[in-house]
Amino acid sequence: MRVAFIGLGTMGEPMALNILKAGHEIVVNNRTKNKEELLAAHGAKRAITPQEAAREAEVIITCLSDTPDVEQVVLGDNGIIYGAQVGSVVVDMSTISPEATCRMADALSKKGIKMVDAPVSGGSEGAMHGTLAIMVGGDSLDVAKVLPVLKAMGTTITHVGPIGAGQITKSINQIIIAGVYVGVAEGMALGLKAGLDMEKVVQAISQGAAGSWVLSNRAMNMINNTYPLGFRVRLHQKDLGIALETARKLGVTLPVAAVVDQIETAVIANGYGDEDVSAVARSIREQSGIR
Ligand code: NAP
């Protein structure tokens, strides 16, 4: 298929590479131009604007930071809406507001352009290995059309409902991992203070009921107090903001997510917002006097 990919960040760059490797034609666009070079070296075309990237594409993928960024790239000056062909499908793989997603889908549909929301989980590792979990919202025919491209990036692809349903599913994912990150951080702090060999502790418990992706992949960050990316704390806090807003509208209480939001505020205020989200352990370690 002819694919446009806009947003070559931590996630977007390896996802676009996997699309290329699967044999699709691809044109890339990134705000910071030098980030297009790796893809270009692998055979991707480059476009100066999102509008230009969208022009020839059947499927137009965005993987950007936050809601206003996607709105800018889709609807703003030189945006996708001014370049995309009638019948093409915009697939937004960023994690953003479900409400804004529905509003953008409405604006695009007035021009005969379709939209699917397809946020992902699985971290930078999943993006690199093409093993992301992809939560898809949209019309069945549109989802079927983009499936071959999604398959190049993920192994668990689930059509969960209409447009916006992918983003709500992603919120559920972020609420659950919020508690898990802080739970693992608290466990690691207790073990460090008790003077245990924490590598052995992780080995001992990771196959049991406490086992999780966070324990297996991020506990060592917390033990070593180094937090390479990964997934930025500030992006996870952005996701919790979306979840808390959706929950308030629906009348759902999220007490643990609200506390983790506060812990992340402290981590960001101390200058660690661009570290991996496992840096929530900084807060627990510091409060526990672990240097
Ligand atoms: P990132 O490394 O910060 O990359 C963000 C990308 O968005 C960059 O290409 C950036 O361009 C572009 N961008 C941001 N604002 C823009 C704007 N206003 N106009 C044009 N381009 C803009 O973020 P990421 O980690 O790849 O995350 C991307 C999305 O995936 C986020 O919604 C995040 O929540 C989600 N996600 C991330 C992970 C993870 O583990 N990292 C996992 C699951 C989901 P520049 O290069 O010019 O800055």
Side-chain angles (χ1 to χ4, degrees):
M1 292 185 101
R2 292 191 308 279
V3 181
F5 201 110
I6 302 160
L8 304 170
T10 309
M11 298 297 282
E13 181 183 84
M15 287 158 71
L17 263 177
N18 284 330
I19 293 173
L20 202 57
K21 283 182 196 157
H24 300 285
E25 268 179 55
I26 195 165
V27 50
V28 295
N29 169 261
N30 196 69
R31 181 179 57 181
T32 306
K33 288 303 187 188
N34 62 12
K35 291 200 197 158
E36 295 167 0
E37 283 164 11
L38 179 82
L39 266 298
H42 282 78
K45 285 192 201 155
R46 297 170 73 167
I48 293 166
T49 61
Q51 177 180 9
E52 185 191 314
R55 207 161 276 148
E56 304 289 321
E58 297 159 274
V59 178
I60 304 144
I61 299 178
T62 48
C63 188
L64 307 162
S65 309
D66 201 352
T67 306
D69 307 313
V70 180
E71 287 173 331
Q72 169 69 34
V73 165
V74 174
L75 305 177
D77 287 348
N78 299 314
I80 291 167
I81 194 165
Y82 301 110
Q85 296 173 6
V86 170
S88 60
V89 187
V90 174
V91 181
D92 180 37
M93 305 191 76
S94 329
T95 303
I96 65 161
S97 150
E99 279 196 338
T101 298
C102 294
R103 282 199 303 272
M104 277 186 275
D106 270 353
L108 288 167
S109 78
K110 291 192 176 100
K111 294 214 158 192
I113 306 160
K114 318 283 187 177
M115 184 167 177
V116 160
D117 57 317
V120 304
S121 163
S124 48
E125 292 92 338
M128 216 173 294
H129 299 128
T131 55
L132 291 168
I134 309 179
M135 298 144 248
V136 190
D139 181 85
S140 297
L141 284 177
D142 302 333
V143 174
K145 181 170 176 186
V146 303
L147 199 58
V149 182
L150 297 183
K151 279 186 174 160
M153 296 177 278
T155 40
T156 310
I157 300 160
T158 314
H159 182 198
V160 287
I163 187 80
Q167 294 295 354
I168 295 177
T169 307
K170 176 69 198 234
S171 273
I172 295 166
N173 185 83
Q174 298 308 73
I175 292 163
I176 293 171
I177 66 166
V180 177
Y181 272 100
V182 173
V184 173
E186 290 181 355
M188 295 307 109
L190 185 74
L192 286 167
K193 215 63 199 282
L196 299 186
D197 178 338
M198 292 309 294
E199 219 165 312
K200 278 202 180 133
V201 170
V202 171
Q203 208 182 347
I205 64 175
S206 58
Q207 298 309 314
S212 68
W213 186 91
V214 177
L215 182 64
S216 300
N217 293 283
R218 295 291 185 257
M220 286 314 294
N221 288 2
M222 300 179 183
I223 295 163
N224 297 330
N225 207 25
T226 55
Y227 307 96
L229 291 176
F231 180 44
R232 290 172 216 277
V233 180
R234 67 173 83 256
L235 285 181
H236 185 254
Q237 199 200 28
K238 175 259 299 180
D239 297 351
L240 282 185
I242 295 166
L244 290 163
E245 190 187 314
T246 306
R248 180 167 298 157
K249 284 190 183 128
L250 294 174
V252 176
T253 64
L254 303 179
V256 174
V259 168
V260 178
D261 176 57
Q262 292 298 299
I263 292 172
E264 291 182 351
T265 297
V267 172
I268 294 166
N270 280 291
Y272 302 117
D274 288 317
E275 290 190 341
D276 182 73
V277 69
S278 48
V280 292
R282 283 189 181 280
S283 179
I284 310 295
R285 285 176 65 111
E286 196 177 320
Q287 287 170 45
S288 310
I290 301 168
R291 303 279 165 241

PDB file of all heavy atoms in Angstrom, residues 189-224:
ATOM      1  N   ALA A 189      11.826  -0.416  46.438  1.00  0.00           N
ATOM      2  CA  ALA A 189      12.335   0.421  47.541  1.00  0.00           C
ATOM      3  C   ALA A 189      12.438  -0.397  48.829  1.00  0.00           C
ATOM      4  O   ALA A 189      13.441  -0.324  49.550  1.00  0.00           O
ATOM      5  CB  ALA A 189      11.419   1.626  47.740  1.00  0.00           C
ATOM      6  N   LEU A 190      11.417  -1.202  49.085  1.00  0.00           N
ATOM      7  CA  LEU A 190      11.429  -2.018  50.311  1.00  0.00           C
ATOM      8  C   LEU A 190      12.612  -2.993  50.285  1.00  0.00           C
ATOM      9  O   LEU A 190      13.347  -3.114  51.271  1.00  0.00           O
ATOM     10  CB  LEU A 190      10.111  -2.784  50.444  1.00  0.00           C
ATOM     11  CG  LEU A 190       9.973  -3.579  51.744  1.00  0.00           C
ATOM     12  CD1 LEU A 190       9.703  -2.640  52.913  1.00  0.00           C
ATOM     13  CD2 LEU A 190       8.849  -4.604  51.645  1.00  0.00           C
ATOM     14  N   GLY A 191      12.801  -3.650  49.145  1.00  0.00           N
ATOM     15  CA  GLY A 191      13.890  -4.623  49.030  1.00  0.00           C
ATOM     16  C   GLY A 191      15.262  -3.975  49.150  1.00  0.00           C
ATOM     17  O   GLY A 191      16.166  -4.520  49.795  1.00  0.00           O
ATOM     18  N   LEU A 192      15.424  -2.793  48.533  1.00  0.00           N
ATOM     19  CA  LEU A 192      16.721  -2.087  48.601  1.00  0.00           C
ATOM     20  C   LEU A 192      17.022  -1.687  50.046  1.00  0.00           C
ATOM     21  O   LEU A 192      18.138  -1.869  50.537  1.00  0.00           O
ATOM     22  CB  LEU A 192      16.690  -0.833  47.701  1.00  0.00           C
ATOM     23  CG  LEU A 192      16.768  -1.085  46.191  1.00  0.00           C
ATOM     24  CD1 LEU A 192      16.419   0.187  45.421  1.00  0.00           C
ATOM     25  CD2 LEU A 192      18.158  -1.590  45.782  1.00  0.00           C
ATOM     26  N   LYS A 193      16.022  -1.183  50.728  1.00  0.00           N
ATOM     27  CA  LYS A 193      16.213  -0.741  52.122  1.00  0.00           C
ATOM     28  C   LYS A 193      16.536  -1.944  53.019  1.00  0.00           C
ATOM     29  O   LYS A 193      17.299  -1.821  53.986  1.00  0.00           O
ATOM     30  CB  LYS A 193      14.937  -0.041  52.595  1.00  0.00           C
ATOM     31  CG  LYS A 193      15.078   1.132  53.551  1.00  0.00           C
ATOM     32  CD  LYS A 193      15.814   2.311  53.024  1.00  0.00           C
ATOM     33  CE  LYS A 193      16.355   3.271  54.078  1.00  0.00           C
ATOM     34  NZ  LYS A 193      15.373   4.161  54.668  1.00  0.00           N
ATOM     35  N   ALA A 194      15.976  -3.114  52.666  1.00  0.00           N
ATOM     36  CA  ALA A 194      16.234  -4.330  53.449  1.00  0.00           C
ATOM     37  C   ALA A 194      17.573  -4.968  53.089  1.00  0.00           C
ATOM     38  O   ALA A 194      17.978  -5.964  53.688  1.00  0.00           O
ATOM     39  CB  ALA A 194      15.098  -5.331  53.219  1.00  0.00           C
ATOM     40  N   GLY A 195      18.241  -4.413  52.067  1.00  0.00           N
ATOM     41  CA  GLY A 195      19.573  -4.892  51.687  1.00  0.00           C
ATOM     42  C   GLY A 195      19.557  -6.193  50.885  1.00  0.00           C
ATOM     43  O   GLY A 195      20.555  -6.926  50.854  1.00  0.00           O
ATOM     44  N   LEU A 196      18.447  -6.497  50.217  1.00  0.00           N
ATOM     45  CA  LEU A 196      18.362  -7.745  49.443  1.00  0.00           C
ATOM     46  C   LEU A 196      19.077  -7.606  48.093  1.00  0.00           C
ATOM     47  O   LEU A 196      19.276  -6.494  47.594  1.00  0.00           O
ATOM     48  CB  LEU A 196      16.902  -8.119  49.197  1.00  0.00           C
ATOM     49  CG  LEU A 196      16.023  -8.371  50.425  1.00  0.00           C
ATOM     50  CD1 LEU A 196      14.653  -8.887  49.982  1.00  0.00           C
ATOM     51  CD2 LEU A 196      16.665  -9.372  51.383  1.00  0.00           C
ATOM     52  N   ASP A 197      19.432  -8.760  47.512  1.00  0.00           N
ATOM     53  CA  ASP A 197      19.949  -8.800  46.135  1.00  0.00           C
ATOM     54  C   ASP A 197      18.721  -8.670  45.229  1.00  0.00           C
ATOM     55  O   ASP A 197      17.981  -9.631  45.019  1.00  0.00           O
ATOM     56  CB  ASP A 197      20.668 -10.130  45.896  1.00  0.00           C
ATOM     57  CG  ASP A 197      21.180 -10.259  44.460  1.00  0.00           C
ATOM     58  OD1 ASP A 197      20.640  -9.561  43.564  1.00  0.00           O
ATOM     59  OD2 ASP A 197      22.089 -11.065  44.234  1.00  0.00           O
ATOM     60  N   MET A 198      18.502  -7.474  44.692  1.00  0.00           N
ATOM     61  CA  MET A 198      17.228  -7.196  44.029  1.00  0.00           C
ATOM     62  C   MET A 198      17.078  -7.905  42.687  1.00  0.00           C
ATOM     63  O   MET A 198      15.962  -8.160  42.251  1.00  0.00           O
ATOM     64  CB  MET A 198      17.032  -5.681  43.867  1.00  0.00           C
ATOM     65  CG  MET A 198      16.818  -4.968  45.190  1.00  0.00           C
ATOM     66  SD  MET A 198      15.517  -5.772  46.173  1.00  0.00           S
ATOM     67  CE  MET A 198      14.085  -5.470  45.163  1.00  0.00           C
ATOM     68  N   GLU A 199      18.207  -8.233  42.048  1.00  0.00           N
ATOM     69  CA  GLU A 199      18.095  -9.000  40.800  1.00  0.00           C
ATOM     70  C   GLU A 199      17.475 -10.368  41.099  1.00  0.00           C
ATOM     71  O   GLU A 199      16.612 -10.853  40.371  1.00  0.00           O
ATOM     72  CB  GLU A 199      19.480  -9.147  40.178  1.00  0.00           C
ATOM     73  CG  GLU A 199      19.432  -9.010  38.688  1.00  0.00           C
ATOM     74  CD  GLU A 199      20.819  -8.795  38.092  1.00  0.00           C
ATOM     75  OE1 GLU A 199      21.574  -7.938  38.605  1.00  0.00           O
ATOM     76  OE2 GLU A 199      21.137  -9.508  37.142  1.00  0.00           O
ATOM     77  N   LYS A 200      17.936 -10.953  42.212  1.00  0.00           N
ATOM     78  CA  LYS A 200      17.375 -12.262  42.618  1.00  0.00           C
ATOM     79  C   LYS A 200      15.907 -12.126  43.008  1.00  0.00           C
ATOM     80  O   LYS A 200      15.101 -12.999  42.712  1.00  0.00           O
ATOM     81  CB  LYS A 200      18.170 -12.805  43.819  1.00  0.00           C
ATOM     82  CG  LYS A 200      19.455 -13.486  43.398  1.00  0.00           C
ATOM     83  CD  LYS A 200      19.918 -14.450  44.463  1.00  0.00           C
ATOM     84  CE  LYS A 200      21.208 -15.107  43.996  1.00  0.00           C
ATOM     85  NZ  LYS A 200      22.229 -15.102  45.028  1.00  0.00           N
ATOM     86  N   VAL A 201      15.568 -11.034  43.669  1.00  0.00           N
ATOM     87  CA  VAL A 201      14.172 -10.826  44.082  1.00  0.00           C
ATOM     88  C   VAL A 201      13.277 -10.774  42.844  1.00  0.00           C
ATOM     89  O   VAL A 201      12.246 -11.451  42.778  1.00  0.00           O
ATOM     90  CB  VAL A 201      14.034  -9.526  44.917  1.00  0.00           C
ATOM     91  CG1 VAL A 201      12.562  -9.182  45.137  1.00  0.00           C
ATOM     92  CG2 VAL A 201      14.759  -9.657  46.253  1.00  0.00           C
ATOM     93  N   VAL A 202      13.707  -9.998  41.854  1.00  0.00           N
ATOM     94  CA  VAL A 202      12.903  -9.863  40.629  1.00  0.00           C
ATOM     95  C   VAL A 202      12.757 -11.230  39.958  1.00  0.00           C
ATOM     96  O   VAL A 202      11.663 -11.618  39.532  1.00  0.00           O
ATOM     97  CB  VAL A 202      13.523  -8.822  39.677  1.00  0.00           C
ATOM     98  CG1 VAL A 202      12.820  -8.824  38.319  1.00  0.00           C
ATOM     99  CG2 VAL A 202      13.474  -7.424  40.298  1.00  0.00           C
ATOM    100  N   GLN A 203      13.883 -11.959  39.907  1.00  0.00           N
ATOM    101  CA  GLN A 203      13.859 -13.307  39.315  1.00  0.00           C
ATOM    102  C   GLN A 203      12.866 -14.201  40.065  1.00  0.00           C
ATOM    103  O   GLN A 203      12.097 -14.942  39.466  1.00  0.00           O
ATOM    104  CB  GLN A 203      15.268 -13.892  39.449  1.00  0.00           C
ATOM    105  CG  GLN A 203      15.630 -14.890  38.383  1.00  0.00           C
ATOM    106  CD  GLN A 203      17.034 -15.423  38.662  1.00  0.00           C
ATOM    107  OE1 GLN A 203      17.795 -14.886  39.490  1.00  0.00           O
ATOM    108  NE2 GLN A 203      17.391 -16.483  37.989  1.00  0.00           N
ATOM    109  N   ALA A 204      12.863 -14.088  41.383  1.00  0.00           N
ATOM    110  CA  ALA A 204      12.024 -14.961  42.215  1.00  0.00           C
ATOM    111  C   ALA A 204      10.533 -14.704  42.011  1.00  0.00           C
ATOM    112  O   ALA A 204       9.734 -15.635  42.071  1.00  0.00           O
ATOM    113  CB  ALA A 204      12.380 -14.755  43.690  1.00  0.00           C
ATOM    114  N   ILE A 205      10.162 -13.445  41.785  1.00  0.00           N
ATOM    115  CA  ILE A 205       8.713 -13.130  41.784  1.00  0.00           C
ATOM    116  C   ILE A 205       8.126 -12.864  40.401  1.00  0.00           C
ATOM    117  O   ILE A 205       6.907 -12.795  40.259  1.00  0.00           O
ATOM    118  CB  ILE A 205       8.394 -11.936  42.724  1.00  0.00           C
ATOM    119  CG1 ILE A 205       9.069 -10.647  42.242  1.00  0.00           C
ATOM    120  CG2 ILE A 205       8.810 -12.250  44.163  1.00  0.00           C
ATOM    121  CD1 ILE A 205       8.689  -9.409  43.065  1.00  0.00           C
ATOM    122  N   SER A 206       8.983 -12.758  39.386  1.00  0.00           N
ATOM    123  CA  SER A 206       8.438 -12.283  38.109  1.00  0.00           C
ATOM    124  C   SER A 206       7.560 -13.314  37.387  1.00  0.00           C
ATOM    125  O   SER A 206       6.753 -12.925  36.540  1.00  0.00           O
ATOM    126  CB  SER A 206       9.542 -11.772  37.186  1.00  0.00           C
ATOM    127  OG  SER A 206      10.464 -12.777  36.968  1.00  0.00           O
ATOM    128  N   GLN A 207       7.694 -14.598  37.732  1.00  0.00           N
ATOM    129  CA  GLN A 207       6.822 -15.593  37.079  1.00  0.00           C
ATOM    130  C   GLN A 207       5.566 -15.880  37.893  1.00  0.00           C
ATOM    131  O   GLN A 207       4.714 -16.662  37.467  1.00  0.00           O
ATOM    132  CB  GLN A 207       7.593 -16.909  36.837  1.00  0.00           C
ATOM    133  CG  GLN A 207       8.805 -16.777  35.909  1.00  0.00           C
ATOM    134  CD  GLN A 207       8.468 -16.080  34.590  1.00  0.00           C
ATOM    135  OE1 GLN A 207       7.474 -16.392  33.948  1.00  0.00           O
ATOM    136  NE2 GLN A 207       9.298 -15.114  34.208  1.00  0.00           N
ATOM    137  N   GLY A 208       5.439 -15.273  39.077  1.00  0.00           N
ATOM    138  CA  GLY A 208       4.274 -15.527  39.926  1.00  0.00           C
ATOM    139  C   GLY A 208       3.190 -14.471  39.736  1.00  0.00           C
ATOM    140  O   GLY A 208       3.167 -13.770  38.710  1.00  0.00           O
ATOM    141  N   ALA A 209       2.351 -14.331  40.740  1.00  0.00           N
ATOM    142  CA  ALA A 209       1.196 -13.423  40.634  1.00  0.00           C
ATOM    143  C   ALA A 209       1.609 -11.958  40.522  1.00  0.00           C
ATOM    144  O   ALA A 209       0.838 -11.138  40.031  1.00  0.00           O
ATOM    145  CB  ALA A 209       0.277 -13.614  41.834  1.00  0.00           C
ATOM    146  N   ALA A 210       2.824 -11.615  40.971  1.00  0.00           N
ATOM    147  CA  ALA A 210       3.282 -10.220  40.863  1.00  0.00           C
ATOM    148  C   ALA A 210       3.905  -9.937  39.503  1.00  0.00           C
ATOM    149  O   ALA A 210       4.301  -8.808  39.227  1.00  0.00           O
ATOM    150  CB  ALA A 210       4.295  -9.907  41.967  1.00  0.00           C
ATOM    151  N   GLY A 211       4.002 -10.962  38.677  1.00  0.00           N
ATOM    152  CA  GLY A 211       4.638 -10.802  37.366  1.00  0.00           C
ATOM    153  C   GLY A 211       3.928  -9.762  36.514  1.00  0.00           C
ATOM    154  O   GLY A 211       2.703  -9.654  36.552  1.00  0.00           O
ATOM    155  N   SER A 212       4.705  -8.966  35.787  1.00  0.00           N
ATOM    156  CA  SER A 212       4.126  -7.983  34.866  1.00  0.00           C
ATOM    157  C   SER A 212       5.203  -7.528  33.903  1.00  0.00           C
ATOM    158  O   SER A 212       6.401  -7.735  34.153  1.00  0.00           O
ATOM    159  CB  SER A 212       3.600  -6.758  35.629  1.00  0.00           C
ATOM    160  OG  SER A 212       4.687  -6.031  36.177  1.00  0.00           O
ATOM    161  N   TRP A 213       4.777  -6.847  32.830  1.00  0.00           N
ATOM    162  CA  TRP A 213       5.735  -6.281  31.872  1.00  0.00           C
ATOM    163  C   TRP A 213       6.636  -5.275  32.589  1.00  0.00           C
ATOM    164  O   TRP A 213       7.835  -5.226  32.369  1.00  0.00           O
ATOM    165  CB  TRP A 213       4.967  -5.595  30.737  1.00  0.00           C
ATOM    166  CG  TRP A 213       5.850  -5.112  29.637  1.00  0.00           C
ATOM    167  CD1 TRP A 213       6.216  -5.791  28.502  1.00  0.00           C
ATOM    168  CD2 TRP A 213       6.505  -3.829  29.557  1.00  0.00           C
ATOM    169  NE1 TRP A 213       7.048  -5.017  27.742  1.00  0.00           N
ATOM    170  CE2 TRP A 213       7.247  -3.806  28.356  1.00  0.00           C
ATOM    171  CE3 TRP A 213       6.539  -2.716  30.386  1.00  0.00           C
ATOM    172  CZ2 TRP A 213       8.008  -2.708  27.961  1.00  0.00           C
ATOM    173  CZ3 TRP A 213       7.300  -1.622  30.002  1.00  0.00           C
ATOM    174  CH2 TRP A 213       8.031  -1.634  28.796  1.00  0.00           C
ATOM    175  N   VAL A 214       6.053  -4.487  33.467  1.00  0.00           N
ATOM    176  CA  VAL A 214       6.827  -3.456  34.170  1.00  0.00           C
ATOM    177  C   VAL A 214       7.884  -4.120  35.056  1.00  0.00           C
ATOM    178  O   VAL A 214       9.055  -3.706  35.055  1.00  0.00           O
ATOM    179  CB  VAL A 214       5.903  -2.542  35.017  1.00  0.00           C
ATOM    180  CG1 VAL A 214       6.725  -1.518  35.799  1.00  0.00           C
ATOM    181  CG2 VAL A 214       4.897  -1.826  34.123  1.00  0.00           C
ATOM    182  N   LEU A 215       7.497  -5.155  35.793  1.00  0.00           N
ATOM    183  CA  LEU A 215       8.467  -5.830  36.666  1.00  0.00           C
ATOM    184  C   LEU A 215       9.596  -6.433  35.833  1.00  0.00           C
ATOM    185  O   LEU A 215      10.777  -6.276  36.157  1.00  0.00           O
ATOM    186  CB  LEU A 215       7.762  -6.920  37.488  1.00  0.00           C
ATOM    187  CG  LEU A 215       8.657  -7.671  38.483  1.00  0.00           C
ATOM    188  CD1 LEU A 215       9.203  -6.735  39.569  1.00  0.00           C
ATOM    189  CD2 LEU A 215       7.892  -8.825  39.145  1.00  0.00           C
ATOM    190  N   SER A 216       9.248  -7.096  34.729  1.00  0.00           N
ATOM    191  CA  SER A 216      10.276  -7.758  33.916  1.00  0.00           C
ATOM    192  C   SER A 216      11.169  -6.775  33.166  1.00  0.00           C
ATOM    193  O   SER A 216      12.347  -7.030  32.987  1.00  0.00           O
ATOM    194  CB  SER A 216       9.630  -8.691  32.888  1.00  0.00           C
ATOM    195  OG  SER A 216       8.884  -9.664  33.555  1.00  0.00           O
ATOM    196  N   ASN A 217      10.589  -5.650  32.729  1.00  0.00           N
ATOM    197  CA  ASN A 217      11.339  -4.754  31.836  1.00  0.00           C
ATOM    198  C   ASN A 217      11.823  -3.456  32.469  1.00  0.00           C
ATOM    199  O   ASN A 217      12.667  -2.775  31.883  1.00  0.00           O
ATOM    200  CB  ASN A 217      10.486  -4.401  30.614  1.00  0.00           C
ATOM    201  CG  ASN A 217      10.235  -5.609  29.743  1.00  0.00           C
ATOM    202  OD1 ASN A 217      11.104  -6.037  29.001  1.00  0.00           O
ATOM    203  ND2 ASN A 217       9.058  -6.181  29.872  1.00  0.00           N
ATOM    204  N   ARG A 218      11.288  -3.076  33.623  1.00  0.00           N
ATOM    205  CA  ARG A 218      11.629  -1.751  34.166  1.00  0.00           C
ATOM    206  C   ARG A 218      12.117  -1.786  35.620  1.00  0.00           C
ATOM    207  O   ARG A 218      12.583  -0.763  36.120  1.00  0.00           O
ATOM    208  CB  ARG A 218      10.418  -0.803  34.060  1.00  0.00           C
ATOM    209  CG  ARG A 218      10.007  -0.499  32.618  1.00  0.00           C
ATOM    210  CD  ARG A 218      11.044   0.358  31.893  1.00  0.00           C
ATOM    211  NE  ARG A 218      10.597   0.737  30.566  1.00  0.00           N
ATOM    212  CZ  ARG A 218      11.027   0.169  29.432  1.00  0.00           C
ATOM    213  NH1 ARG A 218      11.941  -0.817  29.464  1.00  0.00           N
ATOM    214  NH2 ARG A 218      10.582   0.598  28.260  1.00  0.00           N
ATOM    215  N   ALA A 219      12.035  -2.951  36.293  1.00  0.00           N
ATOM    216  CA  ALA A 219      12.481  -2.998  37.697  1.00  0.00           C
ATOM    217  C   ALA A 219      13.969  -2.662  37.807  1.00  0.00           C
ATOM    218  O   ALA A 219      14.383  -1.978  38.755  1.00  0.00           O
ATOM    219  CB  ALA A 219      12.188  -4.370  38.289  1.00  0.00           C
ATOM    220  N   MET A 220      14.780  -3.104  36.842  1.00  0.00           N
ATOM    221  CA  MET A 220      16.225  -2.835  36.918  1.00  0.00           C
ATOM    222  C   MET A 220      16.510  -1.330  36.849  1.00  0.00           C
ATOM    223  O   MET A 220      17.435  -0.849  37.497  1.00  0.00           O
ATOM    224  CB  MET A 220      16.999  -3.580  35.811  1.00  0.00           C
ATOM    225  CG  MET A 220      17.133  -5.075  36.033  1.00  0.00           C
ATOM    226  SD  MET A 220      17.615  -5.584  37.706  1.00  0.00           S
ATOM    227  CE  MET A 220      19.263  -4.920  37.830  1.00  0.00           C
ATOM    228  N   ASN A 221      15.705  -0.582  36.074  1.00  0.00           N
ATOM    229  CA  ASN A 221      15.849   0.888  36.069  1.00  0.00           C
ATOM    230  C   ASN A 221      15.706   1.416  37.497  1.00  0.00           C
ATOM    231  O   ASN A 221      16.477   2.266  37.948  1.00  0.00           O
ATOM    232  CB  ASN A 221      14.730   1.559  35.252  1.00  0.00           C
ATOM    233  CG  ASN A 221      14.872   1.369  33.770  1.00  0.00           C
ATOM    234  OD1 ASN A 221      15.790   0.709  33.311  1.00  0.00           O
ATOM    235  ND2 ASN A 221      13.952   1.954  33.018  1.00  0.00           N
ATOM    236  N   MET A 222      14.679   0.921  38.166  1.00  0.00           N
ATOM    237  CA  MET A 222      14.355   1.431  39.507  1.00  0.00           C
ATOM    238  C   MET A 222      15.440   1.038  40.510  1.00  0.00           C
ATOM    239  O   MET A 222      15.767   1.802  41.419  1.00  0.00           O
ATOM    240  CB  MET A 222      12.991   0.879  39.942  1.00  0.00           C
ATOM    241  CG  MET A 222      11.852   1.276  38.992  1.00  0.00           C
ATOM    242  SD  MET A 222      10.302   0.569  39.560  1.00  0.00           S
ATOM    243  CE  MET A 222       9.162   1.076  38.281  1.00  0.00           C
ATOM    244  N   ILE A 223      15.993  -0.152  40.321  1.00  0.00           N
ATOM    245  CA  ILE A 223      17.064  -0.631  41.221  1.00  0.00           C
ATOM    246  C   ILE A 223      18.336   0.187  40.987  1.00  0.00           C
ATOM    247  O   ILE A 223      19.003   0.617  41.928  1.00  0.00           O
ATOM    248  CB  ILE A 223      17.313  -2.143  40.973  1.00  0.00           C
ATOM    249  CG1 ILE A 223      16.065  -2.939  41.371  1.00  0.00           C
ATOM    250  CG2 ILE A 223      18.551  -2.629  41.722  1.00  0.00           C
ATOM    251  CD1 ILE A 223      16.022  -4.354  40.810  1.00  0.00           C
ATOM    252  N   ASN A 224      18.656   0.424  39.701  1.00  0.00           N
ATOM    253  CA  ASN A 224      19.895   1.156  39.364  1.00  0.00           C
ATOM    254  C   ASN A 224      19.736   2.676  39.437  1.00  0.00           C
ATOM    255  O   ASN A 224      20.706   3.410  39.311  1.00  0.00           O
ATOM    256  CB  ASN A 224      20.350   0.785  37.941  1.00  0.00           C
ATOM    257  CG  ASN A 224      20.709  -0.687  37.826  1.00  0.00           C
ATOM    258  OD1 ASN A 224      21.154  -1.288  38.805  1.00  0.00           O
ATOM    259  ND2 ASN A 224      20.498  -1.278  36.657  1.00  0.00           N
TER     260      ASN A 224
END
